[in-house]
Amino acid sequence: MADEIGCSPKDIQAILMGGHGDTMVPLPRYTTVAGIPVTELVAGDKLDAIIQRTKVGGGEIVNLLGTSAWYAPGAAAAQMVEAIVKDEKRIFPCCAWLTGEYGLKDIYLGVPVVLGKKGIEKIIELQLNSDEKALLNTSAQHVKEVMDVLDKMAVVNA
């Protein structure tokens, strides 16, 4: 997105929800560049292409390098730890246990949260439109299917 706009990635604030991977739910209506809605800066077809590349980007990196766990996960974890240790009350998209938020229950899913000294202090419920809700439900279903497979695996501790 920064390349398309010609700006610093530091100026982009984006929210992605759901699982991590092809079913993640980018929310362009909640994405801004220095406070300007991204929809005012990037044409619809180009924004759709950026969203699609974002969804499959992890798989693309894995195919090229064998893993996608390089800089970004460590940098994100460091920011999250700092927010907790310093009680900064920062908002991050994090994997959180949902107990009815977004109409979802008994699942860990990526949602915006407030991080402070108590860890996740609040789950922020955005007002999703029907398309966004449907995408989030699809992502949640995918996460549940993956977790069901893992739960059914017989793991023996050595």
Side-chain angles (χ1 to χ4, degrees):
M1 189 159 321
D3 288 344
E4 176 64 30
I5 296 167
C7 72
S8 169
K10 292 179 180 180
D11 290 331
I12 299 171
Q13 293 291 314
I15 294 287
L16 292 102
M17 293 179 58
H20 185 77
D22 298 357
T23 65
M24 72 175 68
V25 183
L27 298 171
R29 347 185 255 125
Y30 288 104
T31 299
T32 61
V33 181
I36 303 165
V38 72
T39 53
E40 292 187 24
L41 299 171
V42 179
D45 59 333
K46 292 204 181 230
L47 188 55
D48 290 342
I50 291 167
I51 288 169
Q52 185 56 31
R53 182 135 192 243
T54 299
K55 287 181 167 188
V56 299
E60 183 179 328
I61 292 170
V62 169
N63 287 335
L64 292 170
L65 303 175
T67 183
S68 65
W70 293 102
Y71 174 78
Q79 289 179 345
M80 293 165 67
V81 168
E82 182 176 35
I84 293 167
V85 170
K86 293 182 177 180
D87 195 24
E88 293 178 330
K89 310 282 192 230
R90 293 210 40 213
I91 297 173
F92 288 99
C94 293
C95 189
W97 183 249
L98 301 183
T99 58
E101 298 86 357
Y102 296 99
L104 299 167
K105 194 172 180 183
D106 299 332
I107 185 171
Y108 282 102
L109 205 61
V111 294
V113 303
V114 175
L115 285 182
K117 68 181 176 183
K118 298 175 186 171
I120 293 176
E121 297 191 356
K122 178 181 180 183
I123 293 174
I124 298 171
E125 283 195 74
L126 301 174
Q127 297 302 309
L128 301 180
N129 63 36
S130 59
D131 291 339
E132 293 162 341
K133 285 179 188 175
L135 290 170
L136 186 61
N137 287 334
T138 297
S139 187
Q141 184 59 40
H142 178 75
V143 168
K144 282 186 178 188
E145 288 168 5
V146 171
M147 295 312 302
D148 286 345
V149 168
L150 291 173
D151 287 343
K152 291 176 184 171
M153 295 174 87
V155 179
V156 178
N157 293 327

